[in-house]
Amino acid sequence: MPEMISLEEARALVLSHAAPLPVETVPVLEAVGRVAAADLKSDIDISPFAHSAMDGFAVRAAELAEASQEAPVELDVVAEIAAGDVFEGSIEAGQCVRIMTGAPMPDDADSVVKYEIVDVVTGDGKPGSRVAFSAPTAVRSNVREAGEEAKAGETVVSKGEVIGSAGVGFLAGCGIVEVPTHRRPRVAVISIGSELVDPTVVPTPGKIRNSNSYALAACAQAAGAVPVILPIVEDTKEALAAAVSAAADAYDFVVTSGGASNGDFDFIKPVVSELGELLMTTVNIRPGKAQTFGIVRGTPVFGLPGNPAAAYVGFEMIIRPALRKMQGYAHFERPSVMAKLSRDVKKKDPRRIFLRGTLYKNDEGEYVVAPAKNQSSGLFGVIQRSNCMAILPEGLDSRTAGSLVQCVLLDVSEEVSL
């Protein structure tokens, strides 16, 4: 039987058995939040032409070199260019063109003066009007140049880069409407327990609703995977073996909850051992000491405890990194900060303890963490109201209010470096 190992060893073990899944091509909109599996190149210059950055007047900067409040330079407005139009005429000395945001720059103009600082002398500012400029303008002022953001053939999103919502727009502008990315892992979620009933059922005495499957499926979905909640499995070795065997053949990753300890009805360890290779049974953390991991016919199978907090901690700290690796992500650990404890915390267990809590800044701008008063591993509500987990290292050293502890941020992406 594998011995109890550290969290770092557990994470490394599971990561070593996870690999990026095959590449698929998806519509660009479906690529948001996913990892590019190849360099993506623009088919044109972005922007394909020099254009105005604002509504104003396209001018020759040299004509306004002597402009001032006392001696403004007046020019005739000879044309108007809207976005999508092209001006093919010429601009003579003493002339300018009214131009809208995004409209192509005329060949004879080299600067744009914004509309709000130009005085209309006669007319309404449109063609046929005369306008006055009271200050010089720099060459190429308020002009977005052709190819300013990307050149044709240039890589605009690199392999391994996570595509954000702005990136989707950038890719679309570069003519990229399909994106190669690693397939999302399909995760089978199985709750074990003869006492469980579906959430739609009002429990009778001795029964409880199957909430773990929904929480773990939500965790898998938040990690970018595609969860599938499978039927509840009763507390028999035969039923569990059949369910795990079928799931290992049909899915990329199998997550069970319940039956992970050493009780008379805890069968996940022997089932994984008999169906495949059992690699891990306990991790030196609390909550969540009982963490079963093994490989069944090439598929990772992870057995989480039945207590909600224990299952959640195990998923966040060990399973989530593996699911991210399967999608091609390069970062596997949530960011953390050091924060002052808001109150004394006694430590009676030598394991590494994860306290659910709320992180905030005090009036001095310092991070403070308030551990939830009720740290029972059987509660979901405490996790819902927490934004971090405060870590008490291995050993029996208690902490007093004001002590600094490491806090893992639960609502910040792994890509963020703090």
Side-chain angles (χ1 to χ4, degrees):
M1 181 71 68
E3 296 181 356
M4 183 163 64
I5 60 177
S6 70
L7 174 60
E8 288 74 20
E9 290 172 317
R11 184 185 291 124
L13 174 64
V14 177
L15 282 173
S16 72
H17 289 85
L21 292 174
V23 173
E24 63 179 2
T25 300
V26 301
V28 66
L29 186 57
E30 295 180 17
V32 65
R34 299 177 70 173
V35 180
D39 289 344
L40 305 177
K41 304 177 185 296
S42 180
D43 63 344
I44 60 172
D45 288 350
I46 303 295
S47 166
F49 51 83
H51 62 278
S52 177
M54 59 183 58
D55 293 348
F57 294 92
V59 301
R60 290 188 183 88
E63 289 207 64
L64 306 185
E66 304 299 325
S68 67
Q69 290 287 346
E70 297 74 23
V73 173
E74 296 184 1
L75 301 176
D76 293 321
V77 183
V78 296
E80 182 176 42
I81 315 172
D85 292 341
V86 176
F87 177 71
E88 296 179 342
S90 60
I91 302 174
E92 307 296 336
Q95 297 179 341
C96 65
V97 171
R98 182 170 177 173
I99 191 168
M100 302 296 114
T101 304
M105 285 292 291
D107 291 339
D108 296 331
D110 58 15
S111 183
V112 173
V113 180
K114 65 179 180 179
Y115 187 84
E116 291 80 2
I117 64 172
V118 177
D119 295 322
V120 177
V121 178
T122 62
D124 57 4
K126 295 183 178 182
S129 303
R130 189 170 179 80
V131 294
F133 300 83
S134 302
T137 183
V139 173
R140 311 313 289 177
S141 178
N142 298 317
V143 176
R144 294 191 179 124
E145 303 294 352
E148 181 179 70
E149 192 165 25
K151 301 290 187 181
E154 181 181 341
T155 296
V156 292
V157 170
S158 299
K159 180 180 179 180
E161 188 174 341
V162 180
I163 300 168
S165 53
V168 169
F170 189 21
L171 291 173
C174 294
I176 300 169
V177 294
E178 292 187 328
V179 175
T181 183
H182 295 283
R183 180 171 62 78
R184 296 180 185 273
R186 296 182 71 242
V187 179
V189 180
I190 303 172
S191 278
I192 306 165
S194 299
E195 77 280 11
L196 300 175
V197 296
D198 191 84
T200 59
V201 176
V202 176
T204 56
K207 302 292 185 180
I208 59 172
R209 283 176 168 146
N210 174 24
S211 54
N212 268 8
S213 281
Y214 287 83
L216 296 175
C219 285
Q221 186 167 290
V226 180
V228 179
I229 297 176
L230 298 183
I232 296 166
V233 175
E234 64 181 6
D235 285 316
T236 69
K237 185 178 177 182
E238 294 74 20
L240 182 57
V244 169
S245 180
D249 288 338
Y251 295 89
D252 303 303
F253 204 105
V254 180
V255 179
T256 70
S257 67
S261 296
N262 297 311
D264 292 343
F265 298 98
D266 294 330
F267 298 116
I268 188 61
K269 285 181 285 193
V271 162
V272 171
S273 180
E274 291 174 16
L275 292 177
E277 183 181 10
L278 180 64
L279 299 171
M280 179 178 82
T281 58
T282 52
V283 180
N284 193 18
I285 59 175
R286 178 178 178 179
K289 175 183 175 182
Q291 307 276 346
T292 298
F293 175 68
I295 303 296
V296 175
R297 294 193 290 279
T299 300
V301 176
F302 207 106
L304 291 165
N307 280 325
Y312 179 82
V313 171
F315 194 105
E316 278 292 315
M317 304 309 295
I318 306 174
I319 297 177
R320 180 181 168 94
L323 295 181
R324 286 178 58 84
K325 184 177 180 182
M326 294 170 81
Q327 297 169 80
Y329 292 99
H331 302 282
F332 306 129
E333 294 187 42
R334 296 272 201 185
S336 63
V337 297
M338 299 302 291
K340 291 184 175 181
L341 279 170
S342 66
R343 61 178 175 84
D344 295 349
V345 178
K346 292 183 179 181
K347 195 166 191 290
K348 300 179 180 179
D349 190 314
R351 287 176 284 169
R352 187 182 311 182
I353 295 180
F354 289 82
L355 301 173
R356 284 72 71 202
T358 303
L359 184 75
Y360 62 94
K361 281 189 175 181
N362 62 17
D363 293 340
E364 289 73 42
E366 301 169 316
Y367 282 118
V368 178
V369 59
K373 292 182 179 179
N374 191 337
Q375 291 289 329
S376 168
S377 62
L379 304 178
F380 269 131
V382 172
I383 306 171
Q384 163 64 21
R385 292 184 289 271
S386 298
N387 62 5
C388 74
M389 291 191 293
I391 301 175
L392 300 183
E394 290 84 349
L396 292 171
D397 292 337
S398 297
R399 297 293 190 275
T400 56
S403 299
L404 284 174
V405 294
Q406 182 184 3
C407 295
V408 178
L409 307 182
L410 299 175
D411 54 0
V412 180
S413 168
E414 286 86 345
E415 276 69 41
V416 176
S417 177
L418 296 176

Short mmCIF file of all heavy atoms in Angstrom, two decimals, residues 1-6 9 281-285 289 351:
data_model
loop_
_atom_site.label_atom_id
_atom_site.label_comp_id
_atom_site.label_asym_id
_atom_site.label_seq_id
_atom_site.Cartn_x
_atom_site.Cartn_y
_atom_site.Cartn_z
N MET A 1 0.84 -1.19 0.00
CA MET A 1 0.00 0.00 0.00
C MET A 1 0.88 1.25 0.00
O MET A 1 1.77 1.38 0.84
CB MET A 1 -0.91 0.01 1.24
CG MET A 1 -1.85 1.21 1.31
SD MET A 1 -3.15 1.12 0.08
CE MET A 1 -4.08 -0.27 0.70
N PRO A 2 0.68 2.19 -0.95
CA PRO A 2 1.48 3.41 -0.96
C PRO A 2 1.34 4.17 0.35
O PRO A 2 0.28 4.20 0.96
CB PRO A 2 0.89 4.20 -2.14
CG PRO A 2 0.24 3.17 -3.02
CD PRO A 2 -0.26 2.13 -2.08
N GLU A 3 2.44 4.80 0.81
CA GLU A 3 2.43 5.53 2.07
C GLU A 3 1.92 6.96 1.86
O GLU A 3 1.81 7.43 0.74
CB GLU A 3 3.85 5.54 2.66
CG GLU A 3 4.37 4.16 3.02
CD GLU A 3 5.77 4.23 3.61
OE1 GLU A 3 6.33 5.33 3.66
OE2 GLU A 3 6.27 3.17 4.02
N MET A 4 1.66 7.65 3.00
CA MET A 4 1.21 9.03 2.92
C MET A 4 2.34 9.90 2.36
O MET A 4 3.49 9.79 2.77
CB MET A 4 0.78 9.53 4.29
CG MET A 4 0.22 10.95 4.26
SD MET A 4 -0.73 11.38 5.75
CE MET A 4 0.54 11.29 7.01
N ILE A 5 1.99 10.77 1.43
CA ILE A 5 2.99 11.61 0.77
C ILE A 5 2.59 13.07 0.93
O ILE A 5 1.48 13.41 1.32
CB ILE A 5 3.14 11.25 -0.72
CG1 ILE A 5 1.80 11.43 -1.46
CG2 ILE A 5 3.65 9.82 -0.87
CD1 ILE A 5 1.90 11.16 -2.96
N SER A 6 3.51 13.96 0.60
CA SER A 6 3.25 15.39 0.72
C SER A 6 2.36 15.86 -0.43
O SER A 6 2.22 15.17 -1.45
CB SER A 6 4.56 16.18 0.69
OG SER A 6 5.15 16.12 -0.61
N GLU A 9 4.39 16.10 -3.60
CA GLU A 9 4.62 14.79 -4.22
C GLU A 9 3.35 14.29 -4.90
O GLU A 9 3.42 13.71 -6.00
CB GLU A 9 5.07 13.78 -3.15
CG GLU A 9 6.47 14.03 -2.60
CD GLU A 9 6.80 13.14 -1.42
OE1 GLU A 9 5.93 12.96 -0.54
OE2 GLU A 9 7.92 12.61 -1.38
N THR A 281 -2.62 6.78 -1.92
CA THR A 281 -3.81 6.57 -1.09
C THR A 281 -4.02 7.66 -0.06
O THR A 281 -5.16 7.92 0.33
CB THR A 281 -3.73 5.21 -0.35
OG1 THR A 281 -2.55 5.20 0.47
CG2 THR A 281 -3.71 4.05 -1.33
N THR A 282 -2.96 8.30 0.40
CA THR A 282 -3.11 9.34 1.41
C THR A 282 -2.13 10.47 1.16
O THR A 282 -1.00 10.25 0.71
CB THR A 282 -2.90 8.80 2.84
OG1 THR A 282 -1.65 8.10 2.89
CG2 THR A 282 -4.04 7.90 3.27
N VAL A 283 -2.59 11.70 1.49
CA VAL A 283 -1.78 12.90 1.33
C VAL A 283 -1.75 13.64 2.66
O VAL A 283 -2.77 13.69 3.37
CB VAL A 283 -2.35 13.80 0.21
CG1 VAL A 283 -1.49 15.05 0.04
CG2 VAL A 283 -2.42 13.04 -1.11
N ASN A 284 -0.63 14.23 2.99
CA ASN A 284 -0.44 14.86 4.29
C ASN A 284 -1.09 16.25 4.35
O ASN A 284 -0.41 17.27 4.52
CB ASN A 284 1.06 14.96 4.59
CG ASN A 284 1.33 15.30 6.05
OD1 ASN A 284 0.46 15.15 6.90
ND2 ASN A 284 2.53 15.78 6.32
N ILE A 285 -2.41 16.28 4.19
CA ILE A 285 -3.16 17.53 4.25
C ILE A 285 -4.45 17.31 5.04
O ILE A 285 -4.91 16.18 5.22
CB ILE A 285 -3.52 18.07 2.85
CG1 ILE A 285 -4.36 17.05 2.06
CG2 ILE A 285 -2.28 18.47 2.08
CD1 ILE A 285 -4.86 17.57 0.72
N LYS A 289 -7.14 13.97 3.73
CA LYS A 289 -6.03 13.02 3.84
C LYS A 289 -6.21 11.85 2.88
O LYS A 289 -5.26 11.43 2.21
CB LYS A 289 -5.94 12.52 5.28
CG LYS A 289 -4.90 11.43 5.50
CD LYS A 289 -4.93 10.95 6.95
CE LYS A 289 -3.98 9.78 7.17
NZ LYS A 289 -4.03 9.29 8.57
N ARG A 351 -0.71 17.66 10.27
CA ARG A 351 -0.78 17.76 8.82
C ARG A 351 -0.82 19.23 8.37
O ARG A 351 -1.09 20.13 9.15
CB ARG A 351 -2.04 17.05 8.29
CG ARG A 351 -1.97 15.54 8.35
CD ARG A 351 -3.28 14.92 7.91
NE ARG A 351 -4.32 15.02 8.93
CZ ARG A 351 -5.61 14.75 8.70
NH1 ARG A 351 -6.01 14.40 7.51
NH2 ARG A 351 -6.48 14.85 9.68
#
